């Protein structure tokens, strides 16, 4: 990612609380509906073989990573985000899940490493 885009993203991220998504689900009616629909779709994944390795791209606070870890409790869940602040927040909030600072355009994993990418 080029330096201008990265700087612009960091400016935007600095204005967004790390737990924005979690609070929004509790306090914003439309976001709550969107979240429930998203989890309904993710529940459909339960009909196939359970994934063993899951990547949550743009994990922010780690909320979805944690839900995936609970849902697929035998899976290795990794969350990535481009923001140091979000990754730090997620690590504190969910210490049993691995969180890394990484760019989704240049993942530090081999192709095909994950069974499921969210």
């Amino acid at each position: 990612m080029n330096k201008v885009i990265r700087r612009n993203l960091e400016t935007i991220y600095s204005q967004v609380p790390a737990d924005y998504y979690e609070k929004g689900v509790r306090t914003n009616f439309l976001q709550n509906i969107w979240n429930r629909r998203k989890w309904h779709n993710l529940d459909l994944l339960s009909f196939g073989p359970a994934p063993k390795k899951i990547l949550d791209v743009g994990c922010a606070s780690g909320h979805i990573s944690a839900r995936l870890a609970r849902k697929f409790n035998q899976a290795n869940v990794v969350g990535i985000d481009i923001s140091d602040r979000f990754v730090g927040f997620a690590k504190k909030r969910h210490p049993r899940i691995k969180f890394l600072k990484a760019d989704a355009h240049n993942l530090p994993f081999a192709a095909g490493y994950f069974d499921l990418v969210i």
Side-chain angles (χ1 to χ4, degrees):
M1 178 180 306
N2 76 38
K3 291 179 183 179
V4 173
I5 293 172
R6 185 177 300 266
R7 188 172 50 244
N8 288 341
L9 284 175
E10 287 299 329
T11 299
I12 292 167
Y13 289 157
S14 71
Q15 299 170 23
V16 177
D19 61 349
Y20 170 82
Y21 180 82
E22 292 171 71
K23 286 182 180 175
V25 168
R26 289 190 309 267
T27 62
N28 182 303
F29 176 73
L30 294 175
Q31 196 168 351
N32 184 280
I33 291 171
W34 172 257
N35 185 63
R36 283 187 285 143
R37 183 66 183 164
K38 179 172 44 178
W39 277 104
H40 169 75
N41 290 333
L42 288 173
D43 282 340
L44 297 177
L45 296 172
S46 298
F47 294 113
K52 300 287 185 214
K53 298 175 188 169
I54 301 171
L55 177 63
D56 180 11
V57 177
C59 66
S61 68
H63 176 73
I64 292 174
S65 303
R67 287 199 58 175
L68 289 166
R70 284 191 303 273
K71 180 173 183 56
F72 301 106
N73 60 4
Q74 299 299 314
N76 176 26
V77 178
V78 177
I80 65 163
D81 203 285
I82 196 136
S83 169
D84 284 321
R85 188 168 61 90
F86 289 177
V87 169
F89 184 90
K91 284 180 177 181
K92 288 178 187 171
R93 177 74 56 96
H94 310 287
R96 293 189 178 144
I97 299 172
K98 184 174 184 176
F99 294 100
L100 304 169
K101 179 179 179 180
D103 184 342
H105 296 100
N106 188 21
L107 295 173
F109 306 103
Y113 180 78
F114 292 98
D115 304 316
L116 175 63
V117 178
I118 302 291

